[in-house]
Amino acid sequence: MQIKTLKGKMLLGFAVMIIIIAGVTGWSIYNFKILSNAINDIMVENYRSIKASESMVESIERQDSALLLMLRSPEEKGQEIFRKNEKEFYTWLARAEDNITINGEGEILNKISDNYYKFISNFDRFYNAEEDERWNVYNQKLLPIFTQIKDDIRGLRELNRQAMLDAQQEANSRANQAIIYTLILALSVIIFSLIFALYLTKQILRPIKELEKGIKKVADRNFQQKVQVASENEIGVLADEFNEMISKLQEYEKINIKKLLIEKEKSEAVVNNLSGPLIVTDKDSKIVLINQAAKDLFSIEKDVIDEHFLEAIQSEKLFEYIKEPGEKEENTILVKKDGQEKHYKVSTNQVIDEEEGYQFTVTLLEDITRLKEIDNMKSEFVSTVSHEFRTPLTSMNMGLSMVINGDTGELNEEQQELLEAAYEDVERLTELVNDLLDLSKIESGRIEMEFDKTDINNLIEKTLEPFYRQAEEKDIELIFNKDEENIFAWADPGKISWVISNLVGNALRYADEGIIQIDTEVKGRRVLISVEDNGPGIPAEYQKKIFDKFVRAGNDKDEKSGTGLGLAIAKEIITAHNGRIWVESEEGEGSKFYFYIPRFGYQEEEK
């Protein structure tokens, strides 16, 4: 059967080429995958075991040196060296056990582990022995075990070395086979492609050259030129369609240019008349649109269209909001303009096309300087009033306490009840004033944070000590789960202890029985802490509000349940630690509060 159309001929040729290329590709992938696995065996798995073996030998030799040092000198330096290298030996032993890849490797490691346990056990006997007896313990117990462990480690190293040699030979063999077969298949594809390309050149090149000349003239906006191609195949059809397109372009050019100019002027007028600064960036963070308000705010006088955002506007914080819209809880920036500080709220919106592909980010800045000033005035007012309340409240507290205790004379029962009620109200008002002052200091940045390397597990254990008795009285089991033994964070221990106390205290206040569980967990560069209870839970409509000031859940009507400021203060403390606090809860199913803070050593990355 003869194929007459170019389409059929091209499809047939390409089909054969695809089959051959697919075969070459599949065979190459198969060989290179096996080769990759062999190389991985050589360079990674066995190397790790050899590295662990060498490190174990080095650690136990240093321990032997420490033993000899202790035989010559009664100082504690030898014991310190011995214990330090004991940790090193166990670390490398664990890595070797996690990297068992060869038959027999596990048995050797088990033997090393057992002998090393004996070695450590005999060290205690050695250490507690009299100076005259230490030589006997060393020669009869420790030295033979030390020698056996070194021999076993050498056996482990030799086993991995031999495995590396075997893997290397297999990799070389596979590589040679892959090269030969790949060359043969590649040559076949090249020869076939050359023949097919020569054939297509004769069939297509002549009419395409004619079509090319016409296209060049159209590119020069010469819409009067028509293409003349004497062919009945697809090239001829293409030439006819091209001529039809030229005729329509002549009509569309006159109409579309006018419409585009009108729409462009309309869009620019709308954008430039916006009172707030507006910036539109593409997926490469290049500016595609900016209004006059934004230019005035950032003192831009030149044309910045198609420039990268940071080249035109020197604001890395605003750029972070644009690159990660919605990631920050409070999207605000501070801009200094003409000696004045202005606060702007940043609103970002991504424009997505029909295929869910990201196209543009629209950023609008809203001037909230006046709102910030009002908020600062409110905080200062609350701080001032609270501070002024402290002295009379202290006097009232002391006076009521003296009267209730009978220092001013005996009271009847009714007087006693009235004064005790007044005393409780003064206590609650004093607590509210103290919370307001603390919150005001944190919000204004006047409170000092004493950041330090903090053992989170130890901090939580100390914080929970006064709560165990309260939990026992309410028939509640207080459980603390540690993800790891040593978890260190970069934090102010006193402030984090306050947050934990507040969360646990809230859980005890609302739960009548059951379990309160505190968990710690390392999450990358952060430490995650959670407090979970099986109390009444928090209604969904309150879960985002409870961290605001004076907010309590919908069914929390007890006047003695607190000031409504505890969670607000906790949020400010965690925010000051560059962390985040939130809650997950279902009404009737209990609540779980989470917060994270930076791990020690990662605090600069968090910032």
Side-chain angles (χ1 to χ4, degrees):
M1 179 179 178
Q2 186 177 4
I3 300 174
K4 296 182 179 180
T5 64
L6 288 175
K7 179 181 178 181
K9 295 174 182 177
M10 292 175 68
L11 287 176
L12 177 62
F14 283 128
V16 175
M17 290 177 64
I18 289 171
I19 292 171
I20 298 175
I21 291 172
V24 173
T25 303
W27 181 258
S28 299
I29 291 173
Y30 171 74
N31 282 280
F32 289 133
K33 184 176 181 180
I34 295 176
L35 181 61
S36 176
N37 291 336
I39 294 173
N40 184 67
D41 290 340
I42 297 171
M43 300 304 296
V44 179
E45 296 174 351
N46 298 117
Y47 175 77
R48 289 175 180 168
S49 295
I50 291 175
K51 175 62 177 177
S53 300
E54 292 174 350
S55 299
M56 285 190 289
V57 169
E58 183 178 351
S59 297
I60 199 169
E61 286 179 347
R62 288 179 179 175
Q63 287 183 294
D64 183 65
S65 299
L67 291 171
L68 294 174
L69 177 62
M70 293 174 69
L71 287 170
R72 299 186 184 94
S73 172
E75 296 182 2
E76 297 296 323
K77 183 66 176 177
Q79 184 193 14
E80 180 182 348
I81 296 172
F82 187 93
R83 292 302 184 188
K84 178 181 178 182
N85 285 279
E86 177 186 349
K87 294 179 181 179
E88 289 290 324
F89 186 94
Y90 273 122
T91 298
W92 288 107
L93 178 61
R95 293 184 183 179
E97 289 174 340
D98 290 339
N99 193 50
I100 295 174
T101 57
I102 307 170
N103 291 333
E105 193 172 6
E107 289 79 3
I108 295 176
L109 286 170
N110 288 335
K111 187 176 178 183
I112 292 172
S113 179
D114 294 338
N115 286 331
Y116 190 73
Y117 177 78
K118 295 177 183 178
F119 185 71
I120 297 300
S121 300
N122 279 285
F123 171 76
D124 295 332
R125 180 179 173 185
F126 169 86
Y127 180 77
N128 295 319
E130 295 294 332
E131 185 175 352
D132 296 333
E133 295 178 3
R134 284 188 175 182
W135 276 104
N136 293 333
V137 175
Y138 175 76
N139 290 319
Q140 295 176 9
K141 299 292 183 179
L142 291 172
L143 185 59
I145 299 174
F146 165 73
T147 305
Q148 182 61 46
I149 291 173
K150 285 186 63 176
D151 292 339
D152 291 337
I153 294 174
R154 291 192 183 100
L156 177 66
R157 184 167 55 191
E158 180 61 25
L159 184 65
N160 280 275
R161 189 189 69 80
Q162 187 60 43
M164 289 179 66
L165 292 175
D166 295 340
Q168 182 183 16
Q169 293 177 357
E170 183 181 354
N172 291 336
S173 177
R174 285 287 179 181
N176 293 332
Q177 291 182 7
I179 292 171
I180 294 172
Y181 289 121
T182 302
L183 285 174
I184 293 173
L185 292 173
L187 287 173
S188 301
V189 173
I190 292 171
I191 293 171
F192 178 82
S193 299
L194 287 173
I195 296 173
F196 182 66
L198 290 172
Y199 172 77
L200 282 182
T201 300
K202 293 180 180 179
Q203 298 292 323
I204 300 173
L205 193 57
R206 285 194 300 271
I208 284 181
K209 285 185 176 180
E210 293 296 326
L211 191 59
E212 182 184 3
K213 293 178 182 178
I215 292 173
K216 286 182 178 179
K217 292 181 179 179
V218 171
D220 294 334
R221 305 191 65 80
N222 182 2
F223 297 147
Q224 307 302 322
Q225 178 68 32
K226 297 291 181 74
V227 176
Q228 302 296 329
V229 176
S231 177
E232 297 181 357
N233 57 22
E234 291 88 345
I235 300 298
V237 174
L238 179 61
D240 294 337
E241 293 295 330
F242 180 79
N243 292 332
E244 182 67 21
M245 179 191 70
I246 290 176
S247 300
K248 292 182 179 180
L249 281 174
Q250 294 172 359
E251 299 175 8
Y252 291 155
E253 185 183 28
K254 298 177 181 178
I255 299 172
N256 290 337
I257 289 177
K258 185 176 181 180
K259 285 184 177 180
L260 288 172
L261 289 173
I262 293 172
E263 292 299 325
K264 182 175 181 291
E265 291 174 357
K266 190 186 297 182
S267 299
E268 290 178 348
V270 171
V271 170
N272 286 320
N273 279 291
L274 288 173
S275 59
L278 180 139
I279 306 167
V280 181
T281 52
D282 62 13
K283 61 183 179 181
D284 297 321
S285 300
K286 291 184 178 180
I287 297 175
V288 297
L289 184 63
I290 183 170
N291 68 352
Q292 190 60 42
K295 290 182 178 180
D296 293 340
L297 177 63
F298 296 106
S299 302
I300 299 174
E301 298 179 356
K302 63 177 182 177
D303 184 13
V304 294
I305 302 300
D306 289 333
E307 283 191 14
H308 192 276
F309 179 89
L310 290 177
E311 293 179 0
I313 301 173
Q314 305 298 319
S315 176
E316 294 187 4
K317 187 173 183 180
L318 179 56
F319 182 66
E320 288 179 5
Y321 292 143
I322 294 174
K323 291 296 290 180
E324 299 179 357
E327 290 292 323
K328 306 287 189 303
E329 291 186 4
E330 296 182 1
N331 293 2
T332 60
I333 62 170
L334 175 64
V335 178
K336 293 184 179 180
K337 180 72 174 177
D338 299 329
Q340 297 180 345
E341 292 185 348
K342 288 192 173 184
H343 297 267
Y344 287 88
K345 180 181 180 181
V346 183
S347 301
T348 55
N349 184 40
Q350 289 186 340
V351 179
I352 310 297
D353 67 4
E354 295 179 355
E355 298 180 355
E356 299 297 325
Y358 164 73
Q359 293 295 318
F360 302 106
T361 298
V362 181
T363 304
L364 183 64
L365 306 181
E366 179 184 358
D367 190 347
I368 58 169
T369 304
R370 182 57 181 165
L371 296 177
K372 279 283 185 181
E373 292 174 353
I374 294 172
D375 188 61
N376 291 336
M377 290 171 62
K378 176 203 68 177
S379 297
E380 290 176 3
F381 173 76
V382 170
S383 177
T384 302
V385 171
S386 300
H387 190 270
E388 292 299 324
F389 276 178
R390 264 189 169 177
T391 301
L393 283 172
T394 302
S395 299
M396 292 169 65
N397 186 294
M398 292 176 62
L400 287 170
S401 177
M402 292 174 66
V403 174
I404 291 171
N405 292 331
D407 295 341
T408 59
E410 188 176 351
L411 302 174
N412 59 39
E413 185 177 348
E414 184 177 357
Q415 291 172 334
Q416 185 80 17
E417 290 179 357
L418 288 173
L419 288 173
E420 286 179 354
Y423 182 78
E424 289 179 1
D425 288 338
V426 170
E427 285 284 318
R428 189 160 58 253
L429 188 56
T430 301
E431 181 184 355
L432 174 61
V433 168
N434 289 333
D435 286 347
L436 281 171
L437 284 172
D438 288 341
L439 183 60
S440 176
K441 288 179 181 179
I442 296 172
E443 287 181 333
S444 62
R446 294 196 302 271
I447 195 167
E448 294 184 1
M449 292 285 180
E450 298 178 0
F451 291 97
D452 199 358
K453 181 180 179 181
T454 303
D455 188 332
I456 289 297
N457 290 335
N458 186 45
L459 178 66
I460 294 176
E461 286 175 348
K462 291 181 179 179
T463 304
L464 293 178
E465 286 178 2
F467 290 103
Y468 284 107
R469 185 173 180 180
Q470 299 179 39
E472 185 178 352
E473 291 175 353
K474 297 188 70 174
D475 196 22
I476 293 174
E477 186 179 1
L478 196 57
I479 300 174
F480 175 36
N481 294 325
K482 307 175 187 177
D483 180 46
E484 297 180 12
E485 277 301 322
N486 296 315
I487 300 177
F488 293 99
W490 181 248
D492 183 326
K495 303 300 185 299
I496 295 302
S497 178
W498 188 97
V499 173
I500 295 168
S501 296
N502 183 266
L503 296 178
V504 175
N506 286 344
L508 282 170
R509 183 181 298 123
Y510 296 113
D512 294 326
E513 59 182 13
I515 296 174
I516 296 176
Q517 181 169 303
I518 300 91
D519 295 300
T520 58
E521 186 178 356
V522 174
K523 291 286 188 181
R525 62 193 184 197
R526 297 166 176 167
V527 177
L528 180 66
I529 302 167
S530 64
V531 178
E532 183 178 10
D533 64 69
N534 56 355
I538 302 171
E541 63 270 21
Y542 285 94
Q543 291 182 20
K544 290 187 178 180
K545 300 177 183 177
I546 58 173
F547 294 101
D548 296 336
K549 288 172 276 192
F550 304 109
V551 173
R552 288 183 281 185
N555 58 358
D556 185 4
K557 303 300 183 184
D558 185 2
E559 293 182 357
K560 298 181 181 180
S561 63
T563 63
L565 292 173
L567 290 177
I569 295 173
K571 179 183 177 182
E572 293 297 334
I573 290 174
I574 298 303
T575 301
H577 280 73
N578 202 29
R580 178 172 173 252
I581 185 170
W582 70 99
V583 65
E584 293 178 0
S585 177
E586 289 187 19
E587 199 167 2
E589 299 293 332
S591 305
K592 190 170 186 179
F593 284 82
Y594 298 86
F595 70 88
Y596 66 72
I597 53 179
R599 283 176 65 194
F600 176 72
Y602 294 85
Q603 57 268 23
E604 295 301 325
E605 292 184 25
E606 283 294 303
K607 291 181 182 180

